[in-house]
Amino acid sequence: MPRPMKLLGGFGAVHVVATVVALACLHCGHDPEKPSVSQVGGAAGESSGKGGSDSQMGGSRPQGDAGRSSAVGGGAAGQASVGEMGGAGGEGPIVVEGAHHGFVFAEVRMPVSNTEANAMAFDLNGDGKSDNQFGRAIVALSMQGLEINQAAAAATQDGSAILLADLQAPSLTSAKGAGLMTFYGADPVPMPCASVNDCGHHLDGTGTFSVAAATPHVVVTPGRIAAAVFNGQGGELPVQFGFAGGVLELVLHDAHAELTNLSTDGFTGRLGGVIPQDQVDGQIYRAIWTGAASFVSRDCTGGVAPVCGCQVGSVGRTYLDLMDTDHDCALSLAEVKANPLFSAIFAVDLDTDGDQKPDAMSCAFAVSAKKGTFNLP
């Protein structure tokens, strides 16, 4: 057994074994012969995952920005035909209509075990298996000591990551047509923190916000509500959460959502979808690199490898020992991408274009939300 190296992260100690034993279950449920997302994602009546018959819908073709209202938190009425979506049990196309209900996410929680990763997962390509490669990657990091959920919770509480949701529906108890949108938030009132150790005040159900200009284009995720549970599939949902010392921003394609315990006061549930390869190579690796480089900058003054002017036993020194392959006392994005640990656990697992080659990563995580008021862009 190779001797473990100790990687001290911003949220704990990471013991990295060269053979990465934790990866043994990383691809549990992955089958290279399974159908591509493009082969099954748009078929009417196929299951989108868990959550009952209301989740059995095909892909959507939203019609632009129809149905957006200028008053989200106040329950303004509006109608939007999402159209062209196969309904469960032959119910026909889903038409999104009704009042807009605004929320702010109070928790974004990643799995801490492969069992939990599977429980959070959706079947994104219709092969009957749980798809959550990103969640399993987080589990692998957590097993090594990197406390991702603490980072996510801290960013949510202090307002570093504000994620807003708009759910349009005629009723939050039962609706044949409903639609979910998410946005990056800004300008919280009240301010998140009264002091360093007293945060989360914008999540008390009275918060008001604005939609951040940096929010990517949103495509409505259409679905249905039964027994105060929303099940939706399709569209594109921006998400953000604390990660590796910063905030990770992604857009979930072929988004899946199961929102439970729906009321005007909030909800619980899970979100999932497809992370394209360019976001894996860009946002995910860049977030890891940014976090690691910040520790190197803090702990190391430069000089000659292997010391590089680092404090003895410092986090920056450990990152350099692990990833500084050209021994220049600095970390590059290329070195992070080439690291065998990260390249193994963040490997893509879904084929979205039907060429029998994985080109995207599956993702799912748990969420909860409180009432939040904001104006739709």
Side-chain angles (χ1 to χ4, degrees):
M1 171 79 62
R3 189 165 69 105
M5 291 187 295
K6 186 178 183 183
L7 171 60
L8 296 175
F11 311 104
V14 184
H15 299 281
V16 182
V17 182
T19 52
V20 195
V21 176
L23 299 180
C25 289
L26 196 59
H27 296 278
C28 293
H30 174 65
D31 183 351
E33 300 301 321
K34 67 184 179 182
S36 69
V37 172
S38 62
Q39 289 173 312
V40 301
E46 292 184 335
S47 174
S48 66
K50 303 174 186 177
S53 61
D54 282 344
S55 67
Q56 294 177 320
M57 301 176 255
S60 67
R61 247 184 340 135
Q63 298 176 353
D65 294 333
R68 293 192 178 185
S69 166
S70 62
V72 178
Q79 294 186 345
S81 175
V82 175
E84 314 302 335
M85 183 173 182
E91 295 179 51
I94 287 179
V95 177
V96 178
E97 58 186 357
H100 289 265
H101 305 273
F103 304 94
V104 57
F105 285 84
E107 181 183 36
V108 174
R109 187 173 62 82
M110 302 297 158
V112 295
S113 68
N114 284 319
T115 298
E116 194 171 42
N118 290 336
M120 292 179 182
F122 296 88
D123 178 6
L124 297 176
N125 60 3
D127 68 348
K129 298 180 180 179
S130 300
D131 297 312
N132 193 2
Q133 178 72 2
F134 182 80
R136 295 182 187 110
I138 297 303
V139 170
L141 294 180
S142 297
M143 290 172 64
Q144 305 302 322
L146 188 61
E147 299 169 353
I148 300 298
N149 278 319
Q150 281 83 340
T156 299
Q157 289 288 311
D158 69 16
S160 299
I162 299 176
L163 186 61
L164 306 174
D166 171 69
L167 184 61
Q168 185 182 5
S171 165
L172 295 182
T173 302
S174 178
K176 292 184 178 180
L180 175 68
M181 295 186 290
T182 60
F183 306 90
Y184 301 157
D187 307 317
V189 177
M191 293 295 291
C193 297
S195 65
V196 174
N197 297 315
D198 183 17
C199 294
H201 294 282
H202 59 311
L203 307 175
D204 65 2
T206 66
T208 63
F209 309 85
S210 63
V211 173
T215 296
H217 178 65
V218 178
V219 181
V220 178
T221 295
R224 295 188 172 92
I225 298 175
V229 176
F230 170 82
N231 277 287
Q233 175 186 339
E236 298 176 6
L237 298 179
V239 296
Q240 63 174 194
F241 45 86
F243 181 83
V247 175
L248 178 59
E249 297 181 342
L250 300 169
V251 177
L252 300 178
H253 292 234
D254 185 28
H256 286 53
E258 181 189 60
L259 309 181
T260 58
N261 302 309
L262 277 173
S263 77
T264 56
D265 293 327
F267 58 78
T268 57
R270 58 196 176 111
L271 297 179
V274 175
I275 304 173
Q277 177 78 67
D278 62 340
Q279 293 189 52
V280 177
D281 292 341
Q283 286 93 312
I284 293 177
Y285 277 112
R286 187 169 294 277
I288 295 171
W289 171 54
T290 300
S294 68
F295 287 111
V296 172
S297 177
R298 183 195 69 183
D299 298 336
C300 305
T301 60
V304 179
V307 178
C308 298
C310 301
Q311 301 175 34
V312 176
S314 66
V315 176
R317 171 65 183 272
T318 307
Y319 274 118
L320 288 178
D321 288 344
L322 178 66
M323 291 184 284
D324 183 20
T325 54
D326 62 4
H327 309 295
D328 66 348
C329 297
L331 292 181
S332 68
L333 181 58
E335 285 174 320
V336 174
K337 289 182 177 180
N339 182 268
L341 170 66
F342 298 129
S343 61
I345 66 177
F346 289 109
V348 294
D349 64 318
L350 294 177
D351 169 26
T352 64
D353 58 11
D355 67 354
Q356 307 304 311
K357 297 179 181 179
D359 54 41
M361 178 183 292
S362 57
C363 176
F365 49 86
V367 296
S368 68
K370 297 288 189 179
K371 182 179 180 180
T373 302
F374 59 94
N375 292 329
L376 285 172

